[in-house]
Amino acid sequence: MRLLVLDYLVEKTGPYSDATANSGYVVGRLADLAKEKELCLLVLLQPQKQAGDPSDPLLSMRQVKGSSRVEQDLRLIMTVWRPGFNPENNNADDRYSSIAIVKNNMGPVGKYDFSWNGVTGRITELDEMEREEYEKVVKAQAYRKAQKAGDI
């Protein structure tokens, strides 16, 4: 398999002064390159700032930073977040990672939760006990955020 990995699309320059216009231009050229050279192209993108912090679920391709052309030209969009991320508690619950497939022209979409070790980067399936802990962490995070927003 021939693979090209591109990190941080909005930093790639193009002919426009506007970053959003450039991201659309660049992703279009990359899609052409991938087809021409028969490459698997992996583009790493950031979410939009209003998407929240690293613990907020990213369940829509509309949360991808850049031009709507990015959404159009990519065949598969996966998002990643860490439900236990919380610097206020020294990230004591930052042991999980969730991945959502929010666009897939070749198959199903869905959300998947995993155990995550930030030191090693190792992602593993949740066992039954971890799944229960994960659910507690997600509920505690939602409660904390609702308190902060003044909803509780």
Side-chain angles (χ1 to χ4, degrees):
M1 178 170 73
R2 295 170 49 169
L3 176 68
L4 171 62
V5 179
L6 177 66
D7 190 8
Y8 206 43
L9 179 68
V10 296
E11 288 296 316
K12 305 309 174 232
T13 59
Y16 306 106
S17 59
D18 178 70
T20 301
N22 269 330
S23 70
Y25 174 82
V26 170
V27 81
R29 303 299 70 75
L30 287 168
D32 292 344
L33 176 69
K35 286 176 193 167
E36 178 185 323
K37 301 293 183 182
E38 297 181 354
L39 296 171
C40 175
L41 175 63
L42 177 62
V43 181
L44 305 175
L45 303 164
Q46 287 190 330
Q48 295 179 5
K49 293 208 184 323
Q50 64 263 30
D53 67 34
S55 70
D56 289 313
L58 298 169
L59 299 172
S60 169
M61 67 181 154
R62 300 283 185 263
Q63 293 172 307
V64 170
K65 191 174 188 178
S67 165
S68 62
R69 176 111 190 250
V70 172
E71 296 171 26
Q72 292 170 16
D73 282 351
L74 299 179
R75 298 291 148 243
L76 174 75
I77 298 176
M78 295 172 48
T79 63
V80 180
W81 66 98
R82 298 179 356 232
F85 175 85
N86 180 1
E88 293 173 11
N89 76 351
N90 202 25
N91 286 313
D93 295 325
D94 198 4
R95 303 181 312 266
Y96 307 100
S97 181
S98 293
I99 298 172
I101 300 171
V102 296
K103 177 183 178 182
N104 186 357
N105 289 355
M106 302 164 283
V109 296
K111 177 182 162 290
Y112 308 92
D113 304 312
F114 299 95
S115 177
W116 175 68
N117 182 318
V119 174
T120 64
R122 186 177 168 93
I123 294 175
T124 56
E125 287 188 54
L126 293 172
D127 62 31
E128 204 170 309
M129 187 182 272
E130 288 172 321
R131 169 74 54 194
E132 289 175 18
E133 268 305 303
Y134 167 84
E135 296 297 334
K136 288 178 188 174
V137 166
V138 169
K139 286 179 184 172
Q141 217 34 330
Y143 183 78
R144 180 185 67 80
K145 288 184 178 190
Q147 274 186 315
K148 233 180 179 180
D151 295 338
I152 295 179

